[in-house]
Amino acid sequence: MNSIEQLISYLNDSGEETRAGAVRRLGELKDSRAIDFLLKAYKDETYTMQIAEAPPGVKASVILALSQIGGERARSEILKILKGTIEIGPREETKIMCYDNLFGDILDYAVRFLSNWKDDEVYKLFYYMATSETSSLAEYDDPRIYAYMYFIRREMDLKGISTIKGRVDYLVDQYPDTYSGMIRPGISSVETIIKKGIGCNLTEMGMDAAPFLKARIDKMPQSPKKICLNGELNSIRFMAEQRYTPTWVRPW
């Protein structure tokens, strides 16, 4: 078993795989003494796009390691890294800066970890993330979807909406009325992020939500919104039949 001191020495190795492996091992040890060295490794590393199915690189591994170590210090540092990519202004002017340099695993690990924290700072940051435009093509599992899921759940908590029916009604009311179709570069992706975040929250509630969602859908006139919500209802039923646990389930 490698000691912390030995693993820290590997952070200066010339091989990226060795550095990334050392970072991941430091995370597994969950020793807060490694945090400063991990942060230095993050700052020193030049981000490179990872090949699909390849182990996460150094920067992504640092975020993962910090989340494994956990605690207030890790939260604070991950929040700083995430904030450093966002230029906050009026909603229509807010945008994620250098999103392509904080893509995939890096942003995903950060959002997943921070979603465990119920506080106003994370709440506001996730709202800005989820409603910001980027130059990147949004994917089905875009981490901004998780950010919006957190935001909308926190909204329901703050409003005291705790029953399944109350949550279904709130989510249906928040669901966008229009349909933008597939995302293309240069076309707004905010609506799609909102739809997917709400849809994930609905699906996660499972069959308990199905009768309340169906009752709302039955009362709606034919519209793109009704068609989309019918799709969410079918997803709930399908996942219940398959006994499938969504990968986006959050620990709170």
Side-chain angles (χ1 to χ4, degrees), residues 175-179 195 222-229:
Y175 205 90
D177 291 319
T178 57
Y179 179 66
K195 281 183 176 181
Q222 192 65 18
S223 65
K225 178 174 179 175
K226 181 172 184 175
I227 293 171
C228 290
L229 286 172

Side-chain angles (χ1 to χ4, degrees), residues 200 203-204 239 244-249:
C200 289
T203 305
E204 188 176 311
M239 290 188 179
Y244 175 72
T245 302
T247 58
W248 54 75
V249 170

Side-chain angles (χ1 to χ4, degrees), residues 163-165 167-168 199-215 217 229-246 248-249:
T163 65
I164 296 292
K165 182 182 184 304
R167 290 190 170 232
V168 168
C200 289
N201 274 330
L202 283 168
T203 305
E204 188 176 311
M205 285 191 284
M207 284 302 292
D208 289 340
F212 300 116
L213 180 56
K214 185 178 185 305
I217 292 172
L229 286 172
N230 259 317
E232 305 295 357
L233 181 59
N234 289 334
S235 293
I236 290 174
R237 290 168 172 165
F238 172 78
M239 290 188 179
E241 290 172 0
Q242 300 296 316
R243 296 183 179 179
Y244 175 72
T245 302
W248 54 75
V249 170

